[in-house]
């Protein structure tokens, strides 16, 4: 194999990754119906435009109020908004990297193509990194379409505004490359269980640091930037030059020194003996519990709970659990992918969609039991419990629509879709009784999806 990277080979690999990705992206029974495809697209578009409209209404109110302020106050507020923009983009870049690093991986087709043809390790490494960055930029652009109009709150000319918009992109890309370099440098000589554990620790540390920056140090930086005796243009040029230099250096250092290829088929599940819960379907509980994502999220909960107990005591930890325990329902995002290989056998065992749906409901009742206890003790309400069950089925639906093994980015799309649904469901928590019809709606959607799956499997 050659050791020097070739742009032609990198482009060839990228083209194959994209083709393989989009070939399997909508390769599900649910999407074979034109009505389902356009219906889901219409629903997501309506939600996206609705969120955009709410932002524009809020922006209009802020702009009207800003006109009443004097020039000095406007400049001070503009610099603070400017700093806040870049801080939030850096935070978003960090969270996006963690999400993509955990979810974007080559499927068997892409892996076989990359490993068997005579590409160098650097070419495969660079191609995979560029592929991940391109996926991150797609999600970033979708967000920027919504938040870009708020640049009007910063007093500047159109030329400067375009430069700020460009610089926001360079900051996002630089933060992505910096973290990519950090992970590559620390995990370069690791493999197997050690690599998984250290990667988990890195994820946890980064989430903790970035969350701390989001709720505390970010505001201190914004205030400091607002007092600097520089114009918006000068500050933008400083950030642009710094992000290009630092991001470029991180990219080159990893390409030159940490280009070891870590492409392999990852085991997503582990063997684990389980109690014989008689809930109608023997594969339902194991397919969820034996997922490494299940272990990852519960380990994350344990670490965060230990930290909260030390910092704020049991009372504060219980309040944290009100938020975290329902969100653990997201672990079912892998359920569909875990059962794809055996789904064709369900007919032989006389398993039908309603039986599987009932079995999943039974699993959700069991897994969300901690949320039931905390909700009753802390709020004397079933809302946290129902919220968790709703998330359980929202994640299951997202997993069926975009199963991990069918496309390189399916797990990422399913994760983002689940996060959006979690946000929408959180709005219903404050409305009495709203979670009940939401659950019935999710159960109905999942039943239709399961019915389609069974029809195709026959």
């Amino acid at each position: 194999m050659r050791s020097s990277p070739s742009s032609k080979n990198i482009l060839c690999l990228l083209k194959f990754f994209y083709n393989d990705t989009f070939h399997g992206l909508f390769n599900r029974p649910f999407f074979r119906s034109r009505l389902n495809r356009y219906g889901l697209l219409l629903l997501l578009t309506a939600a996206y435009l609705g969120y955009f409209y709410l932002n524009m209404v809020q922006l209009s109110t802020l702009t009207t109020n800003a006109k009443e302020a004097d020039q000095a106050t406007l400049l001070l507020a503009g610099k603070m908004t400017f700093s806040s923009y870049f801080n939030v983009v850096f935070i978003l870049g960090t969270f996006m990297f963690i999400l993509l690093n955990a979810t974007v991986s080559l499927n068997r087709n892409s892996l076989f193509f990359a490993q068997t043809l005579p590409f160098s390790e650097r070419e495969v490494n660079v191609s995979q990194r560029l592929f991940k960055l391109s996926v991150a930029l797609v999600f970033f652009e979708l967000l920027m379409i919504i938040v870009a109009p708020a640049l009007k709150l910063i007093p500047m000319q159109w030329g400067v505004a375009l430069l700020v918009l460009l610089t926001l992109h360079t900051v996002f890309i630089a933060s992505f490359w910096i973290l990519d370099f950090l992970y590559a440098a620390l995990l370069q000589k690791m493999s197997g269980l050690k690599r998984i554990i250290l990667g988990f620790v890195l994820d946890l540390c980064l989430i903790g640091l970035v969350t701390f920056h989001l709720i505390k140090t970010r505001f201190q930086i914004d205030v400091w930037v607002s007092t600097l005796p520089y114009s918006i243009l000068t500050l933008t040029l400083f950030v642009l030059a710094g992000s290009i230099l630092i991001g470029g250096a991180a990219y080159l250092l990893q390409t030159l020194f940490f280009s070891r290829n870590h492409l392999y088929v990852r085991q997503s599940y582990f063997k684990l003996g389980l109690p014989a819960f008689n809930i109608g379907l023997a594969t339902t509980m194991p397919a969820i519990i034996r997922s490494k994502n299940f272990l990852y999220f519960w380990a994350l909960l344990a670490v965060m709970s230990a930290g909260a107990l030390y910092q704020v005591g049991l009372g504060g930890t219980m309040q944290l659990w009100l938020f975290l325990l329902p969100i653990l329902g997201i672990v079912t995002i892998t359920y569909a992918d875990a059962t794809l290989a055996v789904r064709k056998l369900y007919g032989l065992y006389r398993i039908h969609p309603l039986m599987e749906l009932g079995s999943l409901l039974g699993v959700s009742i069991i897994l969300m039991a901690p949320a039931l206890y905390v909700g009753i003790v802390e709020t004397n309400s079933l809302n946290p419990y129902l919220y968790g069950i709703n998330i359980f089925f929202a994640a299951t639906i997202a997993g069926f629509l975009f199963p991990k093994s069918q496309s390189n980015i399916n797990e990422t799309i399913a994760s983002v879709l689940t996060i959006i649904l979690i946000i929408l469901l959180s709005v219903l928590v404050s409305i009495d009784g709203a979670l009940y019809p939401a659950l019935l709606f999710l159960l109905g959607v999942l039943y239709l999806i399961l019915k389609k799956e069974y029809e195709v499997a026959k």
Side-chain angles (χ1 to χ4, degrees):
M1 282 185 127
R2 292 166 288 102
S3 60
S4 59
S6 163
S7 58
K8 182 179 179 181
N9 288 340
I10 290 172
L11 289 174
C12 179
L13 281 165
L14 280 173
K15 182 179 179 180
F16 180 80
F17 293 163
Y18 291 132
N19 287 338
D20 206 31
T21 295
F22 289 105
H23 174 72
L25 187 59
F26 299 109
N27 187 27
R28 302 303 306 140
F30 179 83
F31 290 117
R32 294 178 186 177
S33 167
R34 183 176 298 180
L35 177 63
N36 292 345
R37 290 198 303 269
Y38 288 110
L40 181 62
L41 179 63
L42 182 63
L43 182 64
L44 293 176
T45 302
Y48 184 79
L49 292 177
Y51 186 67
F52 179 82
Y53 173 75
L54 291 175
N55 275 270
M56 290 301 295
V57 170
Q58 187 65 27
L59 174 63
S60 177
T61 303
L62 291 173
T63 305
T64 302
N65 295 334
K67 291 179 180 178
E68 302 174 0
D70 58 82
Q71 202 65 28
T73 303
L74 281 176
L75 183 60
L76 186 71
K79 288 183 180 179
M80 191 172 295
T81 305
F82 169 87
S83 175
S84 180
Y85 249 106
F86 284 101
N87 269 304
V88 169
V89 166
F90 172 76
I91 293 167
L92 178 65
T94 303
F95 282 125
M96 188 64 71
F97 174 84
I98 293 173
L99 174 65
L100 292 177
N101 195 50
T103 58
V104 173
S105 58
L106 303 185
N107 57 31
R108 291 180 182 272
N109 291 337
S110 299
L111 182 63
F112 179 80
F113 183 82
Q115 295 283 44
T116 56
L117 295 183
F119 298 112
S120 69
E121 281 195 326
R122 286 182 180 176
E123 288 166 350
V124 177
N125 178 273
V126 170
S127 300
Q128 189 186 31
R129 290 164 58 203
L130 290 175
F131 176 74
K132 285 185 178 181
L133 177 63
S134 65
V135 174
L137 283 172
V138 169
F139 290 110
F140 180 70
E141 294 299 339
L142 291 174
L143 182 63
M144 287 304 298
I145 292 172
I146 296 176
V147 302
L151 289 171
K152 291 171 61 178
L153 296 174
I154 304 174
M156 55 185 174
Q157 300 297 322
W158 276 105
V160 179
L162 292 175
L163 184 63
V164 169
L165 195 59
L166 172 64
T167 308
L168 288 170
H169 286 77
T170 62
V171 169
F172 180 84
I173 294 171
S175 64
F176 203 90
W177 288 143
I178 290 168
L179 294 174
D180 204 26
F181 167 72
L182 175 66
Y183 274 65
L186 294 177
L187 302 177
Q188 176 70 6
K189 297 182 179 180
M190 300 288 181
S191 60
L193 184 61
K194 290 183 179 180
R195 185 180 179 88
I196 293 173
I197 293 175
L198 184 55
F200 170 74
V201 172
L202 280 174
D203 288 347
L204 186 62
C205 290
L206 275 176
I207 291 172
L209 289 172
V210 172
T211 303
F212 179 78
H213 175 58
L214 176 66
I215 63 179
K216 189 170 183 179
T217 57
R218 175 173 70 93
F219 301 105
Q220 298 173 356
I221 294 174
D222 293 344
V223 173
W224 174 73
V225 170
S226 68
T227 61
L228 294 176
Y230 302 112
S231 66
I232 298 292
L233 176 60
T234 303
L235 291 172
T236 303
L237 291 174
F238 281 149
V239 176
L240 177 63
S243 60
I244 291 176
L245 288 174
I246 297 174
Y251 175 82
L252 290 174
L253 285 172
Q254 181 181 348
T255 303
L256 293 174
F257 300 108
F258 302 106
S259 61
R260 182 182 173 189
N261 190 348
H262 286 285
L263 300 182
Y264 47 85
V265 176
R266 299 177 183 176
Q267 293 296 327
S268 299
Y269 305 92
F270 56 90
K271 292 182 179 180
L272 177 66
L274 295 171
F277 290 110
N278 186 14
I279 51 177
L281 188 61
T283 60
T284 308
M285 179 75 82
I288 296 170
I289 300 294
R290 290 172 179 167
S291 166
K292 288 185 178 179
N293 283 341
F294 183 87
L295 179 63
Y296 181 92
F297 280 110
W298 276 97
L300 183 62
L301 174 66
V303 173
M304 295 181 70
S305 299
L309 279 171
Y310 178 77
Q311 292 289 332
V312 296
L314 181 60
T317 304
M318 293 285 279
Q319 290 295 319
L320 178 66
W321 284 345
L322 276 175
F323 170 74
L324 289 182
L325 287 175
I327 294 180
L328 289 177
I330 199 174
V331 298
T332 58
I333 204 169
T334 60
Y335 171 77
D337 196 63
T339 58
L340 281 180
V342 298
R343 189 160 293 279
K344 291 182 178 181
L345 302 176
Y346 282 7
L348 299 177
Y349 290 94
R350 297 181 181 179
I351 299 172
H352 50 80
L354 197 59
M355 180 186 296
E356 185 174 1
L357 185 66
S359 180
L360 285 169
L361 183 60
V363 175
S364 70
I365 291 171
I366 295 171
L367 292 185
M368 290 296 109
L372 173 64
Y373 171 77
V374 174
I376 292 175
V377 171
E378 290 295 307
T379 65
N380 197 28
S381 170
L382 295 177
N383 279 347
Y385 184 56
L386 290 170
Y387 182 45
I389 293 177
N390 273 273
I391 292 174
F392 179 99
F393 285 105
T396 305
I397 291 170
F400 268 105
L401 294 178
F402 302 100
K404 177 180 179 180
S405 61
Q406 300 298 300
S407 170
N408 296 325
I409 63 171
N410 264 6
E411 190 175 9
T412 304
I413 295 176
S415 299
V416 173
L417 179 59
T418 303
I419 291 170
I420 294 172
L421 292 173
I422 288 173
I423 295 172
L424 294 176
L425 288 169
S426 67
V427 177
L428 301 180
V429 174
S430 59
I431 304 174
D432 289 339
L435 290 172
Y436 291 99
L439 178 58
L440 290 176
F441 174 77
L442 292 173
L443 288 172
V445 172
L446 181 56
Y447 175 76
L448 293 176
I449 293 174
L450 289 174
K451 189 176 178 181
K452 198 69 176 178
E453 292 281 340
Y454 278 74
E455 290 174 358
V456 173
K458 288 180 180 180

